[in-house]
Amino acid sequence: MFFKRKAILMIHGFVGGIYDFGSLHNELQLNKQFDVFTFTLPAHNQFIVNNVKHQEWLDESINQIEFLMQNGYKEIYLIGHSMGGVIAAYLASIYPQVKKLVLVAPAFRYFYFKEGKVDIKSFNETIKNIPEIFKGNNTEEVISRILKTPIPTMIEFTKLVNQCQDCVNVIECPTLTIHGTNDLIVPTEATDYVYNSIKSKTNILVNIHKLNHECFVTKKSKEVKETITTFLKQSPKNKKETIEL
């Protein structure tokens, strides 16, 4: 029956879009257990992501999950990438209807911001890493995201992270966290923070060798998608573990 199907809500990252998930949406939709939903965060359909407040991102995400509940879904799975992972964690902390949570490179730590301000030391490190960032990602896409992100919008991003920081401490649903060893955008401290903070009895951290921040559109995307699909289809393991792939 319809109401036995599970809803999957996918939340994209900062200055990104649903295209960041590559083919994951279609592949999950082929599974008869799931109905898959995506949406674009406010202002992210503009050429420049501007004139937007972080609360608008949270409010729209709440609207999306409320819509699913109003339409009869009693089990909701969340998949969040980067900033979308922060938002997904926030939703999981306040909605018991969220039964599984997937956080891919959740941006609870970010290389060149600290306490809402540009951190000069980490910013300089990021500048040094720019050749590697371009090497591991689509060059036009990297340039596009830099150009479409004014400083006030970056500050709104840091406000969102600060507001949602403590939500991880009350998450109890089964959680899968994925991080790439070549991620030069979100540091390992972010996934370590999630893994060490959540209360769930099923707490899995998967580190994928040579994976960068654009997890779903690289040569390693197959491992990412298979890891997520397996987690969503299987019964919870009720254990805390770290897996290296």
Side-chain angles (χ1 to χ4, degrees), residues 9 11 58 61-62 65 78 87-95 98:
L9 181 62
I11 308 175
L58 291 176
S61 301
I62 289 171
I65 200 168
L78 298 180
I87 296 173
Y90 172 77
L91 295 176
S93 73
I94 60 176
Y95 284 101
V98 176

Side-chain angles (χ1 to χ4, degrees), residues 132 137 179-185 208-213:
E132 287 298 317
N137 297 279
H179 196 262
T181 61
N182 285 11
D183 192 332
L184 299 176
I185 305 298
I208 300 182
H209 187 56
K210 293 185 179 180
L211 177 70
N212 63 27
H213 191 66

